[in-house]
Amino acid sequence: MKRAVLLLLMLGMSPAQAGTEKPPSAGYVKWQEECGSCHVAYPPHMLSPENWQSLMGGLDKHFGSNAVLDTRDNKKILDFLKRFAGSGEKYAASSLRISDTPWFRREHRSIAAKEWTNPDVRSRSNCSACHGKNVLGS
Ligand code: HEC
Ligand code: HEC
């Protein structure tokens, strides 16, 4: 199995969603590198194309961090994210947080408030605390 496909499976994405490209696109590779350095590389299908566009347009003020990229890398990553983005209201949030989308809230509705504030979790954005490093959604 190609390494890219394996990585996508570990992220809980089906190859049909993003990994059928051979070889993996420059956008995919950049996304892994740049967007996986501070947190897990949040999968494209979990947010709408409009939300990715806004997020990639504001990387200088990225949730209190500076995650700015040069223009070419930004475009490569944005193209990749939009190509495999989720569609519809349930993958959209004005905060640009996956963890605020209707989809996320529904999937996690059984989780008690105290789980989110557990010192080992701290933030709903900290997917890997509960899902492991490479098994988002699987
Ligand atoms: C310099 C570190 C850094 C880099 C690089 C970075 N981020 Fe982030 N990102 C953060 C921080 C900090 C948060 C807020 C985490 C929290 O609230 O616990 C965040 C949150 C997010 C969220 C919202 C998570 C949620 O709650 O659903 C998304 C989506 C996101 N980042 C996407 C990206 C993408 C796409 C890239 C690559 C272009 C990227 N990040 C690169 C630091 C970074
Ligand atoms: C406090 C722990 C916790 C955090 C943090 C968390 N999740 Fe979950 N997540 C769960 C649990 C538990 C379930 C199963 C809920 C159920 O079946 O009722 C779940 C379900 C899911 C599912 C549905 C498929 C499955 O595995 O059951 C996906 C996809 C998912 N989470 C992705 C994410 C993403 C992406 C993030 C970060 C933005 C995240 N989760 C953060 C605990 C967490």
Side-chain angles (χ1 to χ4, degrees):
M1 198 187 297
K2 283 258 194 299
R3 183 175 153 78
V5 173
L6 223 141
L7 278 167
L8 288 164
L9 288 176
M10 292 191 297
L11 275 164
M13 296 171 77
S14 74
Q17 278 173 301
T20 45
E21 303 170 90
K22 290 178 190 140
S25 70
Y28 170 85
V29 173
K30 280 285 164 201
W31 164 73
Q32 281 284 321
E33 270 174 31
E34 303 290 348
C35 306
S37 61
C38 295
H39 44 62
V40 291
Y42 299 114
H45 69 275
M46 293 182 179
L47 216 50
S48 70
E50 296 79 14
N51 282 173
W52 286 126
Q53 176 107 35
S54 302
L55 185 140
M56 294 301 290
L59 286 179
D60 55 330
K61 296 192 188 74
H62 180 74
F63 305 97
S65 286
N66 184 348
V68 90
L69 294 167
D70 71 50
T71 316
R72 285 181 56 201
D73 288 349
N74 189 308
K75 186 180 180 322
K76 279 184 200 150
I77 292 174
L78 179 59
D79 288 348
F80 168 77
L81 291 171
K82 282 167 79 175
R83 187 138 53 103
F84 298 105
S87 68
E89 293 281 291
K90 63 179 182 162
Y91 296 111
S94 55
S95 63
L96 309 180
R97 283 183 180 271
I98 292 164
S99 54
D100 284 335
T101 61
W103 166 79
F104 184 96
R105 293 188 173 278
R106 191 185 150 77
E107 287 295 350
H108 296 88
R109 67 192 179 283
S110 65
I111 296 171
K114 69 173 196 304
E115 303 286 349
W116 299 124
T117 50
N118 179 313
D120 293 333
V121 178
R122 295 180 322 276
S123 163
R124 285 179 298 156
S125 315
N126 193 7
C127 321
S128 55
C130 304
H131 291 281
K133 195 97 193 118
N134 293 308
V135 287
L136 260 193
S138 60

